């Protein structure tokens, strides 16, 4: 059988607890990015938010993304094995490229 995205959702081998925590951490990373880039830069018109406003948010977002990626990899490893890393990398890069195309 080929690679099917439904396996990651409905397969019984998936560790759902780790997948939920990992997905939540990636979501926190996205929310921090939206707050910093969209809200502070465009809505509040603060171009220097990286140095003065919230210096701890960037390391927090990085940590959330890294831990979330590891947890999602561990949760999905029983389903896809070694293909889990390229699949998650492709999904993550697609999300990053989608964010660059948004007309903000």
């Amino acid at each position: 059988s080929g690679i099917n995205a439904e396996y990651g959702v409905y397969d019984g081998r998936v560790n759902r607890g780790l997948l939920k925590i990992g997905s939540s951490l990636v979501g926190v990373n996205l929310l921090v990015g939206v707050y910093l880039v969209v809200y502070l830069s465009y809505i509040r018109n603060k171009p220097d938010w990286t140095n003065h406003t919230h210096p701890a948010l960037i390391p927090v977002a990085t940590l959330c993304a890294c831990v979330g990626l590891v947890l999602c990899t561990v949760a999905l490893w029983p389903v896809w094995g070694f293909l889990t890393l390229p699949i998650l990398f492709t999904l993550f890069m697609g999300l990053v490229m989608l964010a660059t195309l948004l007309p903000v």
Side-chain angles (χ1 to χ4, degrees):
S1 69
I3 296 173
N4 191 348
E6 289 183 359
Y7 288 143
V9 179
Y10 299 114
D11 197 316
R13 296 174 289 176
V14 174
N15 188 337
R16 294 190 194 284
L18 289 179
L19 187 61
K20 288 177 185 178
I21 294 170
S23 300
S24 299
L25 288 173
V26 172
V28 168
N29 179 27
L30 293 174
L31 287 175
V32 168
V34 166
Y35 172 73
L36 291 175
V37 174
V38 175
Y39 180 71
L40 289 182
S41 294
Y42 294 107
I43 296 174
R44 298 282 304 267
N45 290 326
K46 291 185 177 183
D48 59 343
W49 56 265
T50 55
N51 295 327
H52 305 291
T53 308
H54 302 287
L57 282 182
I58 294 175
V60 167
T62 304
L63 180 68
C64 286
C66 292
V67 173
L69 179 64
V70 169
L71 290 179
C72 287
T73 302
V74 170
L76 294 172
W77 191 270
V79 178
W80 292 319
F82 286 107
L83 290 176
T84 305
L85 291 173
I87 290 170
L88 289 180
F89 177 76
T90 303
L91 290 173
F92 177 73
M93 288 307 295
L95 185 65
V96 170
M97 291 301 123
L98 178 68
T100 63
L101 295 174
L102 295 177
V104 184

